[in-house]
């Protein structure tokens, strides 16, 4: 669907540019946009590498373990079916911390590890859809769905990525987005928590 939408938009732009005699401007805009895309990718690659490294150092230093213990009441509240001490707890906590700090890209490795751990948990429970010899996982478990909802709606105290984007494109005050981001993500996180617990009550 998205491929079709993008193809339609590009084709419409090219046809419109041809009919209005603006092909030169269209070509220049395409080249300039390609240049900006590469520059933005390089900038974000550096930011991502820095914060992924910081998260790895924090993990080696035992900070993630300490944060996991601090987040244990919240994680147990949201994931009551996950056994205490399961490795999924550590990855979920690391993902939450990265999201709260606004490190969307840095939280990806922890998120993938959390999903793998949750799949292993379902396999340990004897769920045939998650056995190692299965061709593929046929559906997401309750814990996986809750984790995805929290991940998407996560509270952000410092939206690092958004600040980097605004700085890249010449914003005078790139950090001015912090307060609106906190308010918006606080609301989204609250709604996500209420929705997850409501669904859990309806389908225990």
């Amino acid at each position: 669907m998205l491929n079709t939408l993008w193809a339609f938009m590009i084709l419409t732009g090219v046809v419109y540019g041809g009919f209005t005699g603006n092909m030169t401007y269209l070509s220049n805009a395409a080249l300039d946009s390609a240049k900006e895309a590469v520059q933005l990718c390089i900038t974000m690659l550096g930011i991502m590498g820095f914060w992924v490294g910081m998260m790895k150092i924090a993990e080696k230093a035992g900070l993630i373990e300490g944060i996991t213990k601090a987040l244990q009441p919240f994680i147990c509240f949201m994931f009551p079916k996950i056994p205490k001490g399961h490795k999924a707890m550590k990855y979920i906590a690391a993902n939450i911390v990265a999201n709260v700090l606004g490190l969307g890209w840095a939280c990806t490795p922890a998120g993938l590890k959390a999903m793998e751990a949750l799949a292993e948990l379902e396999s340990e429970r004897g769920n045939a859809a998650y056995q190692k010899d299965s061709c593929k996982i046929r559906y997401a478990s309750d814990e996986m769905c809750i984790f995805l909802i929290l991940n998407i709606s996560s509270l952000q105290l410092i939206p690092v990525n958004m600040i980097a984007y605004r700085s890249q494109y010449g914003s005078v005050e790139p950090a001015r987005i912090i307060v609106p981001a906190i308010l918006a993500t606080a609301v989204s996180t609250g709604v996500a928590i209420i929705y997850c617990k409501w669904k859990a009550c309806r389908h225990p």
Side-chain angles (χ1 to χ4, degrees), residues 101-162:
L101 294 177
L103 310 175
W105 288 0
C107 75
T108 300
L112 294 175
K113 288 289 187 180
M115 280 297 187
E116 290 176 1
L118 291 174
E120 290 179 11
L121 178 61
E122 289 299 310
S123 178
E124 293 168 4
R125 290 170 175 169
N127 193 328
Y130 297 86
Q131 298 301 319
K132 291 183 179 180
D133 57 351
S134 299
C135 295
K136 61 180 180 178
I137 296 175
R138 290 190 286 271
Y139 57 86
S141 66
D142 291 343
E143 287 86 359
M144 287 179 175
C145 292
I146 293 172
F147 176 67
L148 281 175
I149 292 171
L150 290 178
N151 187 63
I152 293 170
S153 65
S154 177
L155 172 68
Q156 290 191 8
L157 299 180
I158 309 173
V160 174
N161 287 344
M162 292 303 300

Side-chain angles (χ1 to χ4, degrees), residues 1-17 26:
M1 180 61 186
L2 286 177
N3 290 338
T4 303
L5 180 61
W6 279 110
F8 173 76
M9 292 171 65
I10 293 172
L11 183 61
T12 301
V14 172
V15 172
Y16 181 80
L26 182 64

Side-chain angles (χ1 to χ4, degrees), residues 12 23 35 47 75 97 108 127 132 146 172 177 183 194:
T12 301
M23 287 301 294
K35 178 182 176 181
I47 294 172
I75 296 176
V97 171
T108 300
N127 193 328
K132 291 183 179 180
I146 293 172
V172 178
I177 194 70
L183 295 176
I194 293 171

